[in-house]
Amino acid sequence: MATTNTVTVTLQQLAKTIDHSLLHPTMTDSDILEGLKISREYKVATACVKPYAIPLAKKELQGSGVLVCPVIGFPAGNSTTEVKVFEATAAVRAGGEEIDMVINVGKALGGDWEYVANEIRQINEAVVREGAILKVIFENDYLEDKHIIKLCEICSDIGVAFVKTSTGYGFVKQANGQYSYKGATIPHLKLMRKHTKPQVQIKAAGGVRTLDGLLHVISLGVTRIGATATAAILKEAVARGITDEPTTVQFTPIGGEGAGGY
């Protein structure tokens, strides 16, 4: 007998699961303004922006209930801990309310967990001290399961608000010279939920571009996604009868491996 995949959600819940991503390096101020308009119109959780765009986002989103979410150490995570702490502190003081930071991937791959943990702890303390919360980006495409599990344990011990799969830009060079990217995958999301304490939330970024994808990851315990397809996802939700009342909706599971990108 075929398994029926269903989840009960509201339209507002779906909107507040989305960080609308405005991070592509080619985005102009006009592009960012258009993205902020979408963020405001659909009342998403946050608009995820590059640090220089914080004042613009703060101005455009004022009174909307949509938070400003800057990224730091983005997308490679290679700045020194001191620079990341400074950047995170400055981002919150400028108006950031949630901060998405990228770990030092090379240190994680090399097993220097003391460095990795110390950096996350310092940034988390700086962000929380200023009244914001921290999401820690692993960049799973570069990592093995053992690294992801260890990062989940570290982030759980520190008590960060979220762990996050990817930046959306962690392309891996293949043997043929081409670059590919998976982003948030179902196996990795299950792994992260299993090895992270319940109070630490999961953000899926990269590859969740449809309503079915969003419903599927919600069913796994994901509470936030990064997306550029916000309008399409929420328009489809309305078309499928999801309202502000709890609605049970069937979804088609997405594949085990994501397609990458936002």
Side-chain angles (χ1 to χ4, degrees):
M1 182 181 294
T3 301
T4 300
N5 298 285
T6 61
V7 64
T8 300
V9 293
T10 68
L11 190 61
Q12 182 183 38
Q13 177 190 350
L14 292 181
K16 291 302 183 186
T17 306
I18 298 173
D19 288 346
H20 188 56
S21 176
L22 303 171
L23 299 173
H24 198 280
T26 65
M27 293 190 85
T28 65
D29 286 355
S30 294
D31 295 328
I32 293 169
L33 279 168
E34 182 60 30
L36 293 171
K37 180 180 176 182
I38 290 170
S39 302
R40 188 179 184 111
E41 177 182 353
Y42 288 97
K43 297 180 173 62
V44 296
T46 80
C48 203
V49 299
K50 295 170 279 190
Y52 74 84
I54 297 170
L56 179 62
K58 183 179 178 181
K59 176 185 175 184
E60 295 298 318
L61 297 175
Q62 186 174 6
S64 68
V66 178
L67 304 183
V68 179
C69 176
V71 292
I72 66 137
F74 192 91
N78 292 327
S79 300
T80 65
T81 298
E82 291 77 11
V83 168
K84 287 182 178 178
V85 169
F86 176 85
E87 187 179 16
T89 302
V92 179
R93 291 178 179 174
E97 295 158 289
E98 298 186 0
I99 300 295
D100 286 21
M101 61 83 67
V102 186
I103 68 158
N104 187 310
V105 177
K107 287 290 190 181
L109 290 172
D112 192 348
W113 296 115
E114 182 178 358
Y115 182 101
V116 172
N118 181 58
E119 179 173 87
I120 294 171
R121 182 177 293 105
Q122 286 191 48
I123 297 168
N124 188 62
E125 289 175 352
V127 166
V128 171
R129 185 165 54 244
E130 296 291 333
I133 66 169
L134 183 68
K135 305 191 199 87
V136 178
I137 305 172
F138 294 178
E139 201 67 283
N140 286 347
D141 273 61
Y142 295 140
L143 306 175
E144 298 175 24
D145 285 3
K146 64 181 181 181
H147 303 119
I148 296 170
I149 291 170
K150 182 66 175 179
L151 286 165
C152 288
E153 292 170 349
I154 288 171
C155 289
S156 293
D157 289 343
I158 292 170
V160 304
F162 284 82
V163 292
K164 176 179 171 182
T165 59
S166 323
T167 63
Y169 301 95
F171 294 93
V172 179
K173 190 173 184 179
Q174 306 301 311
N176 64 1
Q178 300 295 311
Y179 285 82
S180 68
Y181 186 59
K182 295 175 182 176
T185 69
I186 298 305
H188 281 165
L189 292 171
K190 290 179 177 178
L191 188 72
M192 291 169 75
R193 186 64 282 169
K194 178 180 179 181
H195 292 280
T196 307
K197 289 181 180 178
Q199 61 268 33
V200 178
Q201 299 181 66
I202 310 293
K203 177 176 174 179
V208 183
R209 301 191 197 87
T210 64
L211 177 61
D212 281 320
L214 175 54
L215 296 173
H216 190 178
V217 299
I218 287 174
S219 76
L220 301 177
V222 170
T223 51
R224 198 73 65 85
I225 69 163
T228 56
T230 299
I233 290 171
L234 294 177
K235 285 178 181 177
E236 185 181 354
V238 171
R240 285 170 60 177
I242 299 174
T243 69
D244 286 330
E245 295 297 322
T247 309
T248 300
V249 60
Q250 188 170 340
F251 64 87
T252 301
I254 56 177
E257 298 291 342
Y262 277 110

